[in-house]
Amino acid sequence: MVFEREVETSKFEMDVLWKKEEVEDSAMEERSTHGAQFVIDDDEDEEEDAREGSSNPLPIPSRKPKQTLPSLAERLFSCLIDLLFCCGFTLPTKIQVDHYKINYVIWWVCSTGIMLSLLK
Amino acid sequence: MRLHREKGIGSTVDPGPSQAYEGNKTEVLRLLLVLLSRQIYVSPSALFTSPSLYSSYFVQHTPRRHVLTVLCSLLNTAMNSSLSNGANIMGTMAGKLPYNHLVFKGEDPRSTLITTCLHVLCVLLDFQSGSARDVAMSGENGPGPTAQTNAFRYFIAKLVSLDLRASIYTNNRTKSTFRIASIQ
């Protein structure tokens, strides 16, 4: 079997790991529920509808840019960073504060070790 | 930005849990290393046109706080460890032989963690593909990194440019200062 070397990021990687899903805006959801009424245009009521003005069954598209959820690869990196600073897994449990397991403290080496911290 | 050194937390550390934590750190860092090694499977010429998305994302879009914490953690672990057990071969001639990691098995977790930290540091600090390339800096001799090109290169450049004066706080809170050699 010959394994072909991939030159660039494969379609599989882009679709699974780097694809960002769009998120429906909550305001847009409310408009869509009110606007998307199933209207039956009856022939007898056509003139009446025309006088009242036809209701638009489709929601007015929002002009705001759609928000996207982070891709799987981005979430994976975020999880890995959290795991590097997880009390009980990579950090001692004694430094845990309440129920917050993720504690971004710089690793120290030993009891008299030195902890470097960069502060602005 | 200022630097300061503090005493490590905890006066005694059980060898058991500490080894477990070191093992877990090594495994998480190994997975990170795998994600940052996509370019091994790509031909060198293709890397000019399509650099690794994984490395680009990690060095350019990781939050600043996380960049600093990860960078300092890796540096602390790799540079401040004192290996006093007899099984340490890093300083010997045997440790300098290629493929020695295949010959000497069963290293202690601390040595493995230090090695992995150094691997991750090399990969992060060396990455300059595509938009991560150093840019021309005004008033500087050559190009340099920015927080937008490679945040890890940028912050370690800041560390190197600073003169470090360390303070060690002992139990009775007396302070002694010493000068630390800059990071090469």
Side-chain angles (χ1 to χ4, degrees):
Chain A
M1 185 180 289
V2 176
F3 291 99
E4 193 173 337
R5 260 196 320 188
E6 295 177 11
V7 177
E8 53 190 25
T9 308
S10 66
K11 191 174 185 303
F12 172 77
E13 279 183 84
M14 293 306 296
D15 286 344
V16 174
L17 290 172
W18 292 103
K19 187 176 179 181
K20 289 190 177 185
E21 290 185 3
E22 290 176 349
V23 147
E24 285 280 340
D25 194 12
S26 58
M28 184 174 166
E29 282 181 358
E30 287 177 11
R31 282 198 297 275
S32 64
T33 52
H34 289 315
Q37 301 287 341
F38 184 62
V39 177
I40 301 175
D41 289 330
D42 202 344
D43 290 339
E44 295 178 355
D45 297 331
E46 258 188 25
E47 292 179 4
E48 191 175 332
D49 283 339
R51 280 199 299 272
E52 288 179 356
S54 58
S55 62
N56 188 4
L58 295 174
I60 300 170
S62 171
R63 299 229 175 129
K64 285 196 299 184
K66 290 204 171 197
Q67 294 188 351
T68 56
L69 293 172
S71 64
L72 193 57
E74 292 169 6
R75 282 155 48 198
L76 179 57
F77 276 122
S78 179
C79 284
L80 285 182
I81 292 176
D82 286 350
L83 278 179
L84 287 174
F85 304 100
C86 179
C87 296
F89 186 66
T90 48
L91 292 175
T93 50
K94 61 182 79 172
I95 69 168
Q96 182 169 341
V97 177
D98 292 335
H99 62 281
Y100 298 103
K101 270 185 167 296
I102 308 301
N103 195 352
Y104 296 105
V105 291
I106 299 171
W107 296 348
W108 65 96
V109 177
C110 56
S111 59
T112 55
I114 315 166
M115 187 163 68
L116 238 179
S117 60
L118 279 165
L119 300 171
K120 179 135 194 209
Chain B
M1 178 172 60
R2 61 187 170 89
L3 283 161
H4 74 269
R5 289 179 159 233
E6 299 176 357
K7 183 181 176 183
I9 300 171
S11 58
T12 56
V13 179
D14 291 331
S18 173
Q19 285 197 346
Y21 298 143
E22 289 168 355
N24 294 340
K25 284 177 186 174
T26 302
E27 293 306 317
V28 178
L29 286 175
R30 272 199 180 122
L31 177 53
L32 184 62
L33 204 55
V34 166
L35 292 174
L36 297 174
S37 302
R38 177 69 174 84
Q39 37 272 57
I40 293 176
Y41 305 97
V42 179
S43 62
S45 56
L47 288 174
F48 286 112
T49 54
S50 56
S52 165
L53 284 175
Y54 306 90
S55 302
S56 300
Y57 173 81
F58 195 72
V59 302
Q60 294 177 343
H61 294 98
T62 301
R64 179 175 179 271
R65 179 191 178 193
H66 297 168
V67 170
L68 291 171
T69 314
V70 169
L71 181 62
C72 292
S73 298
L74 296 175
L75 287 171
N76 257 5
T77 307
M79 294 171 60
N80 287 326
S81 292
S82 58
L83 299 170
S84 55
N85 56 344
N88 177 28
I89 55 149
M90 299 273 285
T92 66
M93 278 307 298
K96 295 179 176 58
L97 291 172
Y99 302 111
N100 69 313
H101 61 284
L102 300 175
V103 177
F104 296 100
K105 295 280 190 181
E107 287 184 27
D108 64 317
R110 175 66 59 83
S111 303
T112 314
L113 174 61
I114 293 168
T115 308
T116 312
C117 285
L118 288 169
H119 287 162
V120 176
L121 278 171
C122 285
V123 168
L124 291 174
L125 298 176
D126 188 53
F127 183 71
Q128 283 198 70
S129 295
S131 56
R133 179 166 284 281
D134 288 353
V135 293
M137 313 281 281
S138 59
E140 298 286 336
N141 293 333
T146 67
Q148 288 74 40
T149 58
N150 184 331
F152 290 88
R153 284 177 66 85
Y154 175 69
F155 284 114
I156 202 169
K158 281 191 173 289
L159 278 172
V160 172
S161 67
L162 287 172
D163 234 10
L164 301 179
R165 295 184 69 85
S167 309
I168 299 179
Y169 292 93
T170 58
N171 286 336
N172 56 3
R173 310 292 266 183
T174 57
K175 189 164 64 173
S176 62
T177 59
F178 64 90
R179 196 184 175 101
I180 301 173
S182 61
I183 301 165
Q184 298 298 327

